Amino acid sequence: MKLITILWLLALSFGCLVSCKQNLVLVPDSPYAVSDDAFTTKTIASGFTIPYGIAIVGENEYFITDRVGKMFHFEDSTLTEINGMPEVATFGTPGLAAIMHGGLMDVSLHPDYATNSWIYISYLASDGFAKVSRLKIQDDAVSQFETIFTTRHQNYTGNGMRIVWEDDAHFFLNIGNSDFSTSEYPVLHAQDLNHDAGKIHRLKDDGSIPADNPVFDGYASPTTIWSYGHRDVQGLFFEASSHTLFGIEHGPKGGDEFNIIEKGKNYGWPLFTYGINYDGAWVSTISEDSAAKFTVFPEHYWTVPTRDGGQAVAPACLLKVSESNISDWNDYFIFGSLAYRRLMKYNHKTGETFGLSIKGRVRTVKQLPGGDIIALIERSDLMKTNGKIIRIGN
């Protein structure tokens, strides 16, 4: 009897270990050489599922979104949840506690936040439409709320919704379109100017259409669309000094892109891509020569070589580091790789990419006024809310 009991307990323990391991999000080896950079890290907050966006109020004060539909205020090591946030749609694989699409995404402060108190959020609402709203907060609760942009169609396949400001009156917004498109069965929403997915939009701070937005063929006036033919941009960075908008986006299986985003241009998805579909099917519907005539090729693209046609790095955010406290990162772009679960850095001048020793699915990176870097890292255990915010310094 004792032997049976012991064997049963051993089997139970083994089953628990296997189950626990299945819940863990493991970190694979970096596909690029890991750069031996000098920095320190400190966890300053934890308890998140997928911390997605962060708005920097000051050196030690931020607003943070979690894709499950929560927003938090962090100030001087104290984390407080904000009440009254809109209901969002999140969903994933049935039976797996993973969020694959939707949810509450970016958060951004109006450039004149100090006087007008407007906070902007992007999200997939419970009705399936991608939206941008602005709100004000009083006593840890939403006190004023305005929806200023809603897509014309439901957008359950859009992961990326970032907000970056061009100036104190205009912002850019990307809306993803990561449908499973193949050359045999193309999904052309990103090429359809009557559809808002697969686009980068430019709006005024009240959500209205800027008069100097592009006027596309067949249209008599501008729309919110700034550029199109994007698959799923998940990182946007606007460099004020050069007035340049940079975007980093998911390809399908490989073909992740780094782009300079220009007014009115077509970036090709899904007519031409350097990636293939997840099942190995061909995606592009036209040749590279044909695409060169009317689409913009990426400044750089990533496909990690594998036996089955290549692997994506799955970029999740983008920051050009300048005058930071981490000298090894200055003048580099850094981005999170969801597929390889680590932070990476990219040299736009040489095309070199390096892995970094900061591990985890990094969703957002921002630079603080004092020169440190803040990174949001999603949970590493699908059964726990152990996502965290780390501060990176020298």
mmCIF file of all heavy atoms in Angstrom, residues 52 160 162 232-236 248-250 313-318 334-339 342 361-365 376 378:
data_model
loop_
_atom_site.group_PDB
_atom_site.id
_atom_site.type_symbol
_atom_site.label_atom_id
_atom_site.label_comp_id
_atom_site.label_asym_id
_atom_site.label_seq_id
_atom_site.Cartn_x
_atom_site.Cartn_y
_atom_site.Cartn_z
ATOM 1 N N TYR A 52 1.495 46.787 -21.990
ATOM 2 C CA TYR A 52 1.657 47.076 -23.425
ATOM 3 C C TYR A 52 2.149 48.490 -23.704
ATOM 4 O O TYR A 52 3.000 48.711 -24.552
ATOM 5 C CB TYR A 52 0.329 46.843 -24.139
ATOM 6 C CG TYR A 52 0.436 46.808 -25.640
ATOM 7 C CD1 TYR A 52 0.531 45.595 -26.323
ATOM 8 C CD2 TYR A 52 0.439 47.979 -26.394
ATOM 9 C CE1 TYR A 52 0.631 45.558 -27.706
ATOM 10 C CE2 TYR A 52 0.542 47.944 -27.776
ATOM 11 C CZ TYR A 52 0.638 46.738 -28.426
ATOM 12 O OH TYR A 52 0.748 46.715 -29.786
ATOM 13 N N GLY A 160 -1.293 45.609 -33.496
ATOM 14 C CA GLY A 160 -0.526 46.817 -33.238
ATOM 15 C C GLY A 160 -1.370 48.077 -33.289
ATOM 16 O O GLY A 160 -2.010 48.361 -34.295
ATOM 17 N N ARG A 162 -0.219 51.751 -31.944
ATOM 18 C CA ARG A 162 0.657 52.679 -31.233
ATOM 19 C C ARG A 162 0.261 54.122 -31.551
ATOM 20 O O ARG A 162 -0.217 54.428 -32.658
ATOM 21 C CB ARG A 162 2.113 52.472 -31.648
ATOM 22 C CG ARG A 162 2.675 51.110 -31.290
ATOM 23 C CD ARG A 162 2.913 50.983 -29.811
ATOM 24 N NE ARG A 162 3.491 49.681 -29.472
ATOM 25 C CZ ARG A 162 3.650 49.246 -28.246
ATOM 26 N NH1 ARG A 162 3.295 49.996 -27.222
ATOM 27 N NH2 ARG A 162 4.173 48.064 -28.004
ATOM 28 N N ASP A 232 1.312 44.475 -39.893
ATOM 29 C CA ASP A 232 1.015 44.694 -38.475
ATOM 30 C C ASP A 232 2.167 45.466 -37.851
ATOM 31 O O ASP A 232 3.081 44.884 -37.273
ATOM 32 C CB ASP A 232 0.795 43.366 -37.758
ATOM 33 C CG ASP A 232 0.159 43.553 -36.387
ATOM 34 O OD1 ASP A 232 -0.308 44.675 -36.106
ATOM 35 O OD2 ASP A 232 0.141 42.595 -35.604
ATOM 36 N N VAL A 233 2.121 46.776 -37.989
ATOM 37 C CA VAL A 233 3.121 47.630 -37.355
ATOM 38 C C VAL A 233 2.888 47.578 -35.846
ATOM 39 O O VAL A 233 1.800 47.860 -35.379
ATOM 40 C CB VAL A 233 3.012 49.082 -37.864
ATOM 41 C CG1 VAL A 233 4.002 49.977 -37.127
ATOM 42 C CG2 VAL A 233 3.245 49.152 -39.368
ATOM 43 N N GLN A 234 3.914 47.205 -35.101
ATOM 44 C CA GLN A 234 3.775 47.178 -33.639
ATOM 45 C C GLN A 234 4.729 48.140 -32.947
ATOM 46 O O GLN A 234 4.716 48.255 -31.725
ATOM 47 C CB GLN A 234 3.953 45.762 -33.109
ATOM 48 C CG GLN A 234 2.794 44.850 -33.494
ATOM 49 C CD GLN A 234 2.600 43.701 -32.524
ATOM 50 O OE1 GLN A 234 3.009 43.736 -31.379
ATOM 51 N NE2 GLN A 234 1.941 42.663 -33.000
ATOM 52 N N GLY A 235 5.548 48.821 -33.729
ATOM 53 C CA GLY A 235 6.425 49.825 -33.158
ATOM 54 C C GLY A 235 6.486 51.049 -34.044
ATOM 55 O O GLY A 235 6.697 50.933 -35.256
ATOM 56 N N LEU A 236 6.247 52.221 -33.465
ATOM 57 C CA LEU A 236 6.373 53.494 -34.170
ATOM 58 C C LEU A 236 7.296 54.402 -33.374
ATOM 59 O O LEU A 236 7.221 54.436 -32.143
ATOM 60 C CB LEU A 236 5.016 54.197 -34.309
ATOM 61 C CG LEU A 236 4.068 53.819 -35.450
ATOM 62 C CD1 LEU A 236 2.834 54.697 -35.372
ATOM 63 C CD2 LEU A 236 4.728 53.948 -36.803
ATOM 64 N N ILE A 248 8.249 49.608 -37.393
ATOM 65 C CA ILE A 248 8.745 48.235 -37.419
ATOM 66 C C ILE A 248 7.532 47.328 -37.367
ATOM 67 O O ILE A 248 6.636 47.516 -36.555
ATOM 68 C CB ILE A 248 9.731 47.996 -36.251
ATOM 69 C CG1 ILE A 248 10.523 46.716 -36.434
ATOM 70 C CG2 ILE A 248 9.038 48.031 -34.908
ATOM 71 C CD1 ILE A 248 11.710 46.602 -35.485
ATOM 72 N N GLU A 249 7.482 46.354 -38.298
ATOM 73 C CA GLU A 249 6.235 45.586 -38.409
ATOM 74 C C GLU A 249 6.477 44.105 -38.625
ATOM 75 O O GLU A 249 7.510 43.689 -39.155
ATOM 76 C CB GLU A 249 5.346 46.148 -39.507
ATOM 77 C CG GLU A 249 5.796 45.959 -40.929
ATOM 78 C CD GLU A 249 4.785 46.558 -41.915
ATOM 79 O OE1 GLU A 249 4.917 47.738 -42.263
ATOM 80 O OE2 GLU A 249 3.879 45.830 -42.328
ATOM 81 N N HIS A 250 5.484 43.342 -38.218
ATOM 82 C CA HIS A 250 5.511 41.897 -38.370
ATOM 83 C C HIS A 250 5.288 41.521 -39.823
ATOM 84 O O HIS A 250 4.323 41.967 -40.457
ATOM 85 C CB HIS A 250 4.390 41.254 -37.557
ATOM 86 C CG HIS A 250 4.649 41.252 -36.087
ATOM 87 N ND1 HIS A 250 4.359 40.170 -35.282
ATOM 88 C CD2 HIS A 250 5.158 42.186 -35.263
ATOM 89 C CE1 HIS A 250 4.678 40.444 -34.025
ATOM 90 N NE2 HIS A 250 5.161 41.667 -33.993
ATOM 91 N N VAL A 313 11.296 37.384 -36.316
ATOM 92 C CA VAL A 313 11.721 37.839 -34.991
ATOM 93 C C VAL A 313 10.548 38.428 -34.231
ATOM 94 O O VAL A 313 10.564 38.510 -33.017
ATOM 95 C CB VAL A 313 12.867 38.876 -35.071
ATOM 96 C CG1 VAL A 313 14.110 38.264 -35.696
ATOM 97 C CG2 VAL A 313 12.449 40.137 -35.808
ATOM 98 N N ALA A 314 9.487 38.833 -34.945
ATOM 99 C CA ALA A 314 8.266 39.372 -34.348
ATOM 100 C C ALA A 314 8.538 40.616 -33.502
ATOM 101 O O ALA A 314 8.473 40.581 -32.274
ATOM 102 C CB ALA A 314 7.536 38.309 -33.531
ATOM 103 N N PRO A 315 8.850 41.748 -34.152
ATOM 104 C CA PRO A 315 9.180 42.968 -33.409
ATOM 105 C C PRO A 315 7.953 43.593 -32.759
ATOM 106 O O PRO A 315 6.881 43.656 -33.351
ATOM 107 C CB PRO A 315 9.763 43.886 -34.484
ATOM 108 C CG PRO A 315 9.107 43.434 -35.755
ATOM 109 C CD PRO A 315 8.908 41.958 -35.614
ATOM 110 N N ALA A 316 8.107 44.080 -31.525
ATOM 111 C CA ALA A 316 6.949 44.526 -30.752
ATOM 112 C C ALA A 316 6.945 46.005 -30.395
ATOM 113 O O ALA A 316 5.935 46.510 -29.939
ATOM 114 C CB ALA A 316 6.841 43.707 -29.467
ATOM 115 N N CYS A 317 8.049 46.705 -30.544
ATOM 116 C CA CYS A 317 8.118 48.106 -30.151
ATOM 117 C C CYS A 317 9.362 48.696 -30.785
ATOM 118 O O CYS A 317 10.187 47.959 -31.346
ATOM 119 C CB CYS A 317 8.166 48.260 -28.627
ATOM 120 S SG CYS A 317 9.425 47.239 -27.816
ATOM 121 N N LEU A 318 9.522 50.010 -30.696
ATOM 122 C CA LEU A 318 10.664 50.638 -31.362
ATOM 123 C C LEU A 318 11.039 51.925 -30.643
ATOM 124 O O LEU A 318 10.185 52.741 -30.315
ATOM 125 C CB LEU A 318 10.313 50.949 -32.816
ATOM 126 C CG LEU A 318 11.446 51.481 -33.697
ATOM 127 C CD1 LEU A 318 12.534 50.427 -33.889
ATOM 128 C CD2 LEU A 318 10.910 51.939 -35.051
ATOM 129 N N ILE A 334 16.338 50.150 -30.614
ATOM 130 C CA ILE A 334 16.112 48.938 -29.836
ATOM 131 C C ILE A 334 14.654 48.532 -29.984
ATOM 132 O O ILE A 334 13.763 49.367 -30.157
ATOM 133 C CB ILE A 334 16.500 49.108 -28.355
ATOM 134 C CG1 ILE A 334 15.723 50.224 -27.674
ATOM 135 C CG2 ILE A 334 17.998 49.324 -28.213
ATOM 136 C CD1 ILE A 334 15.979 50.304 -26.172
ATOM 137 N N PHE A 335 14.430 47.222 -29.977
ATOM 138 C CA PHE A 335 13.067 46.699 -30.127
ATOM 139 C C PHE A 335 12.962 45.360 -29.418
ATOM 140 O O PHE A 335 13.956 44.657 -29.213
ATOM 141 C CB PHE A 335 12.684 46.564 -31.607
ATOM 142 C CG PHE A 335 13.482 45.551 -32.395
ATOM 143 C CD1 PHE A 335 13.042 44.240 -32.520
ATOM 144 C CD2 PHE A 335 14.668 45.911 -33.025
ATOM 145 C CE1 PHE A 335 13.766 43.303 -33.256
ATOM 146 C CE2 PHE A 335 15.399 44.996 -33.764
ATOM 147 C CZ PHE A 335 14.950 43.679 -33.881
ATOM 148 N N GLY A 336 11.735 45.014 -29.036
ATOM 149 C CA GLY A 336 11.485 43.726 -28.426
ATOM 150 C C GLY A 336 11.206 42.681 -29.482
ATOM 151 O O GLY A 336 10.474 42.935 -30.440
ATOM 152 N N SER A 337 11.800 41.506 -29.345
ATOM 153 C CA SER A 337 11.502 40.373 -30.210
ATOM 154 C C SER A 337 10.590 39.417 -29.458
ATOM 155 O O SER A 337 11.002 38.810 -28.467
ATOM 156 C CB SER A 337 12.783 39.654 -30.629
ATOM 157 O OG SER A 337 12.493 38.393 -31.215
ATOM 158 N N LEU A 338 9.344 39.299 -29.927
ATOM 159 C CA LEU A 338 8.402 38.398 -29.252
ATOM 160 C C LEU A 338 8.758 36.940 -29.502
ATOM 161 O O LEU A 338 8.600 36.092 -28.624
ATOM 162 C CB LEU A 338 6.980 38.678 -29.728
ATOM 163 C CG LEU A 338 6.429 40.082 -29.448
ATOM 164 C CD1 LEU A 338 4.989 40.196 -29.954
ATOM 165 C CD2 LEU A 338 6.501 40.420 -27.973
ATOM 166 N N ALA A 339 9.230 36.621 -30.711
ATOM 167 C CA ALA A 339 9.549 35.235 -31.041
ATOM 168 C C ALA A 339 10.756 34.735 -30.267
ATOM 169 O O ALA A 339 10.776 33.586 -29.809
ATOM 170 C CB ALA A 339 9.797 35.098 -32.544
ATOM 171 N N ARG A 342 13.364 38.539 -26.160
ATOM 172 C CA ARG A 342 14.458 39.337 -25.618
ATOM 173 C C ARG A 342 14.458 40.702 -26.291
ATOM 174 O O ARG A 342 13.812 40.906 -27.325
ATOM 175 C CB ARG A 342 15.808 38.652 -25.812
ATOM 176 C CG ARG A 342 16.274 38.575 -27.246
ATOM 177 C CD ARG A 342 17.669 37.983 -27.357
ATOM 178 N NE ARG A 342 17.754 36.621 -26.848
ATOM 179 C CZ ARG A 342 18.538 36.264 -25.831
ATOM 180 N NH1 ARG A 342 19.297 37.176 -25.227
ATOM 181 N NH2 ARG A 342 18.573 35.017 -25.416
ATOM 182 N N ARG A 361 9.396 38.754 -23.201
ATOM 183 C CA ARG A 361 8.676 39.359 -24.331
ATOM 184 C C ARG A 361 8.488 40.852 -24.036
ATOM 185 O O ARG A 361 7.527 41.257 -23.392
ATOM 186 C CB ARG A 361 7.351 38.629 -24.544
ATOM 187 C CG ARG A 361 7.553 37.246 -25.182
ATOM 188 C CD ARG A 361 6.307 36.382 -25.104
ATOM 189 N NE ARG A 361 5.158 36.932 -25.783
ATOM 190 C CZ ARG A 361 4.813 36.663 -27.048
ATOM 191 N NH1 ARG A 361 5.570 35.874 -27.798
ATOM 192 N NH2 ARG A 361 3.722 37.170 -27.573
ATOM 193 N N VAL A 362 9.425 41.642 -24.539
ATOM 194 C CA VAL A 362 9.428 43.078 -24.278
ATOM 195 C C VAL A 362 8.392 43.740 -25.171
ATOM 196 O O VAL A 362 8.477 43.679 -26.396
ATOM 197 C CB VAL A 362 10.820 43.687 -24.521
ATOM 198 C CG1 VAL A 362 10.796 45.186 -24.247
ATOM 199 C CG2 VAL A 362 11.867 42.998 -23.643
ATOM 200 N N ARG A 363 7.424 44.398 -24.570
ATOM 201 C CA ARG A 363 6.322 44.998 -25.322
ATOM 202 C C ARG A 363 6.540 46.477 -25.624
ATOM 203 O O ARG A 363 6.010 46.989 -26.617
ATOM 204 C CB ARG A 363 5.018 44.837 -24.542
ATOM 205 C CG ARG A 363 4.453 43.431 -24.604
ATOM 206 C CD ARG A 363 3.901 43.134 -25.971
ATOM 207 N NE ARG A 363 3.366 41.775 -26.073
ATOM 208 C CZ ARG A 363 2.702 41.325 -27.122
ATOM 209 N NH1 ARG A 363 2.527 42.110 -28.158
ATOM 210 N NH2 ARG A 363 2.244 40.097 -27.139
ATOM 211 N N THR A 364 7.265 47.168 -24.768
ATOM 212 C CA THR A 364 7.449 48.604 -24.949
ATOM 213 C C THR A 364 8.780 49.030 -24.337
ATOM 214 O O THR A 364 9.181 48.506 -23.301
ATOM 215 C CB THR A 364 6.313 49.400 -24.273
ATOM 216 O OG1 THR A 364 5.071 49.066 -24.881
ATOM 217 C CG2 THR A 364 6.517 50.902 -24.433
ATOM 218 N N VAL A 365 9.426 49.970 -24.999
ATOM 219 C CA VAL A 365 10.609 50.620 -24.440
ATOM 220 C C VAL A 365 10.458 52.124 -24.615
ATOM 221 O O VAL A 365 10.042 52.605 -25.655
ATOM 222 C CB VAL A 365 11.915 50.136 -25.115
ATOM 223 C CG1 VAL A 365 12.366 48.808 -24.558
ATOM 224 C CG2 VAL A 365 11.768 50.052 -26.624
ATOM 225 N N LEU A 376 8.787 47.322 -20.649
ATOM 226 C CA LEU A 376 7.642 46.563 -20.165
ATOM 227 C C LEU A 376 7.761 45.140 -20.684
ATOM 228 O O LEU A 376 7.876 44.927 -21.894
ATOM 229 C CB LEU A 376 6.331 47.186 -20.669
ATOM 230 C CG LEU A 376 5.720 48.327 -19.837
ATOM 231 C CD1 LEU A 376 6.703 49.475 -19.698
ATOM 232 C CD2 LEU A 376 4.427 48.815 -20.483
ATOM 233 N N GLU A 378 6.126 41.231 -20.620
ATOM 234 C CA GLU A 378 4.901 40.495 -20.284
ATOM 235 C C GLU A 378 5.216 39.271 -19.445
ATOM 236 O O GLU A 378 6.375 38.852 -19.306
ATOM 237 C CB GLU A 378 4.126 40.120 -21.542
ATOM 238 C CG GLU A 378 4.738 39.055 -22.413
ATOM 239 C CD GLU A 378 3.824 38.678 -23.564
ATOM 240 O OE1 GLU A 378 3.658 39.496 -24.486
ATOM 241 O OE2 GLU A 378 3.282 37.555 -23.542
#
